[in-house]
Amino acid sequence: MSLEMFGFRAMWSPYFFVVLIFVTLLFFLAATKYKEQLSSEAEGLTKKQGILFVSTIVLLYVIKGSPLDLLGHIMFSAHMTQMAFLYLVIPPMLIASIPHWMWRKLLEIRLVGGVFHFFTKPLIALVVFNGLFSFYHIPLIFDVIKVDMVLHAIYTTILFISAIFMWWPLVNHLQEYQYLYGIKRIGYIFANGVLLTPACALIIFADNPMYATFSDPRAWAQALELCVPTSALSGLSLSGPEMLNWLPLLEDQQLGGVLMKIIQEIVYGTVLAQIFYEWYRKENADAEKIDPIPDLQSVE
């Protein structure tokens, strides 16, 4: 059976596509044409930032608007792939793509600035994001959120914002928001990896399928309503996720945990490599500033 039976709207999310196009146009208008009206800073949008923002929007559509989103309601491994990219890849890309003056303009809003100042403190950001992520994957909590459209929208939005808070101390370049330097940045990344491990391990080493929304036909059908119009579902005869999942349910669940951990390690490893490179470049720059010891013979 094919995903096409769920219809074009379920597979390609046209409304979400239109929203993303509107956000992209609004961003480029604000960053170029109306920059001077919005901020007195002379800093403009660089080519790198523009490409990065478009790449972020495209990736966001692939994760939440393409057939992968529908597949994420059928296969747990697809769901965890979504989670990995949505919370570990997209937030740092988004932060880096937005010009400094835009961030400063946003953070000038008292409420927004106050929330950022508190929740981007490294220890708080670590605990909040990893705590929310682990809490979400407790089977009882997961199955309740997964079948309620309002709860699902609220929780995943809060989780995405907490992911931005978590990445902020590492990725942002605003001088007034620099909390981590040197070895602390490395420790912060390792702490993130450690705190996310228990949730992945629980999923990987489980003896039975943990989530009713990926194993029980009734709960699965309810969860599917979040991305498939009721009119499309009413005309289908679905026995359960196994009719579309080419893996046994337990193996699919274990694969999801493994994929989450692998993507996490790749992302954090890339960030570590970048930190070491910047550290090396800074050390070389500092060394070049030091005057060499004069040759005494040449002086004589």
Side-chain angles (χ1 to χ4, degrees), residues 89-102:
V89 178
I90 291 177
M93 291 175 63
L94 182 64
I95 293 170
S97 68
I98 296 177
H100 297 173
W101 71 265
M102 271 192 175

Side-chain angles (χ1 to χ4, degrees), residues 216-244:
D216 179 76
R218 291 182 61 184
W220 173 70
Q222 282 184 280
L224 204 57
E225 292 177 4
L226 269 65
C227 69
V228 180
T230 306
S231 57
L233 279 177
S234 61
L236 300 174
S237 178
L238 303 174
S239 61
E242 69 281 351
M243 66 184 296
L244 292 163

